[in-house]
Amino acid sequence: MSGLLDLINSPVGKQLVSGVAGQTGQPENKTAEVLSMAMPLLMGAMKKNASTPGGAQGLMDALSSKHDGGILDDLGGLFGGGVDQHVMDDGAGILGHVLGSKQPQVENALSNKSGIDAGAISQILKIAAPILLGYLGKQTRQQNVSSPEGLNGLLGGLMGGNKTAAKQQSLIETFLDSDGDGSVIDDLAGMVLNGGGRKKSGLGGVLGGLFGK
């Protein structure tokens, strides 16, 4: 399956980890750990938003204009002199839209799981969000996605397809809808990173392989 796997397991993915770590002053292994949990969580939140016609159309509009994938064409330039403030502001806007009032909860939960303070988590997410949207924009063009239904299908496929995506989505929605302490991130990370000796496949296998889990 192509998709988020290809991004994470590619030179671009490694450049993303290295660049985000350099920008935030965090170790690469810790940055990779956060991204391995945050990327599917953000994608799941986008998929949840896109489950309504208005949300899907809004995402389609963003992907066909500002977030068309151009950001991926020069990650070296993006990280070379420090991430531009307008990229950070864009990321903050995306996070506010897809996570809403749950953003602090998401940041605190990722902080608890990774040991990185919530302020640095916020910075990591602000950089990751525009890159993830840019990746989705590139995918919609490559796969000729032009409808909300097609977009939902694309998001599901990128999350592992069928049962894997459904299970991840259920965990993500439980987390986003709850006021808990983020314990569901343990389950999500376990699924994504495929701990416990299960066959590494789908998103988890590639993330686990790249990030040395």
Side-chain angles (χ1 to χ4, degrees), residues 91 200 211:
K200 290 183 181 296
F211 298 150

Side-chain angles (χ1 to χ4, degrees), residues 44-61:
M46 290 175 191
K47 190 172 189 299
K48 184 182 180 188
N49 281 17
S51 64
T52 66
Q57 190 57 54
L59 184 53
M60 284 293 297
D61 292 344

